[in-house]
């Protein structure tokens, strides 16, 4: 085929996004629900070794936990691909967060309103590193007992941080949270001259 007949298509832009939050808030579930590929998971069964270390209050039914990361991918249109990295939730694995955050343009911080204190560390992590984030309020069993404004006040979040009600089990709900984050990143880039990937 002659060179003039070859149609060249630009490769889609890729963006690294973290899905973060406390232990048992639904990070693995969100990555799995929205990923267009079979997600990579590093889950291991909870064992007696974690007794007294992992706080299972309110999530007694949890049987496995992420020990390294979750990885998934979702295309937003034809020109944007999001690479999703779910962080481990237990405090003993937080040392991995710095490495996972390298190159990330933004994050979703998932919270469980039954245990909001489990996500304070994630919010602090992204605020200290100036990594833009949105808060996804995961409604377990489809239940959302508190409106976003009350949750914002309880978490002492600034006005520019979006608080979004979601269900991590549902693909469309998880996708809407990611799109809200992308819209925020684009708006920020327009005003500042472009997003900056996270550095150590």
């Amino acid at each position: 085929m002659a060179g003039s007949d070859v149609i060249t298509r630009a490769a889609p832009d890729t963006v690294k996004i973290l899905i973060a939050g406390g232990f048992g808030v639904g990070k693995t579930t969100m990555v799995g629900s929205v990923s267009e590929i079979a997600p990579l998971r590093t889950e291991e069964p909870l064992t007696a070794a974690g007794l007294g270390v992992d706080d299972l209050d309110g999530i007694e039914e949890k049987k496995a936990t992420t020990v390294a990361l979750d990885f998934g991918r979702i295309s937003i249109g034809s020109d944007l691909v999001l690479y999703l990295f779910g962080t481990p939730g237990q405090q003993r694995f937080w040392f991995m967060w710095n490495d996972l955050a390298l190159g990330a343009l933004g994050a979703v911080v998932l919270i469980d309103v039954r245990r909001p204190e489990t996500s304070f560390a994630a919010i602090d992590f992204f605020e200290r590193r100036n990594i833009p984030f949105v808060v996804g309020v995961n409604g377990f069993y489809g239940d959302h007992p508190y409106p976003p404004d009350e949750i914002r006040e309880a978490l002492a979040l600034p006005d520019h941080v979006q608080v979004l009600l979601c269900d991590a089990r549902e693909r469309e709900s998880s996708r809407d949270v990611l799109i809200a984050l992308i819209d925020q990143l684009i708006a920020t880039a327009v005003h500042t001259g472009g997003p900056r990937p996270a550095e150590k």
Side-chain angles (χ1 to χ4, degrees):
M1 183 180 292
S4 59
D5 295 330
V6 175
I7 298 175
T8 58
R9 303 174 95 180
D13 291 328
T14 59
V15 176
K16 181 179 181 180
I17 300 295
L18 296 190
I19 311 296
F23 181 44
V25 296
K27 301 180 296 294
T28 297
T29 300
M30 174 171 273
V31 172
S33 74
V34 79
S35 178
E36 62 196 17
I37 62 172
L40 168 67
R41 291 176 173 160
T42 58
E43 283 195 310
E44 294 293 339
L46 292 171
T47 66
L51 293 176
V53 178
D54 298 326
D55 182 8
L56 293 174
D57 188 32
I59 52 170
E60 292 82 2
E61 73 281 1
K62 189 171 178 60
K63 304 299 181 188
T65 184
T66 298
V67 296
L69 59 89
D70 298 308
F71 174 77
R73 184 188 72 199
I74 179 173
S75 299
I76 305 295
S78 60
D79 57 355
L80 180 62
V81 175
L82 307 186
Y83 291 128
L84 310 176
F85 289 79
T87 65
Q90 299 103 308
Q91 186 171 354
R92 60 193 170 169
F93 296 129
W94 285 355
F95 67 91
M96 299 183 61
W97 284 36
N98 281 325
D99 288 335
L100 288 173
L102 287 175
L105 289 187
V108 173
V109 176
L110 276 183
I111 72 164
D112 175 357
V113 293
R114 303 171 301 176
R115 304 174 300 121
E117 70 283 352
T118 62
S119 293
F120 288 154
I123 292 170
D124 183 65
F125 178 88
F126 295 113
E127 286 182 337
R128 287 177 178 272
R129 289 159 180 78
N130 293 317
I131 299 175
F133 66 95
V134 299
V135 170
V137 184
N138 190 15
F140 283 80
Y141 313 110
D143 187 27
H144 285 290
Y146 306 105
D149 287 346
E150 288 187 19
I151 295 168
R152 176 188 304 283
E153 184 177 352
L155 297 176
L157 293 170
D159 291 341
H160 70 270
V161 175
Q162 298 180 75
V163 178
L164 307 155
L165 304 181
C166 67
D167 185 335
R169 302 169 300 175
E170 300 293 334
R171 176 179 172 82
E172 287 189 4
S173 182
S174 297
R175 185 175 184 270
D176 286 347
V177 173
L178 292 169
I179 289 174
L181 174 61
I182 293 301
D183 286 345
Q184 177 176 310
L185 293 176
I186 291 171
T188 300
V190 168
H191 289 94
T192 63
R196 297 179 59 190
E199 302 175 353
K200 272 191 176 180

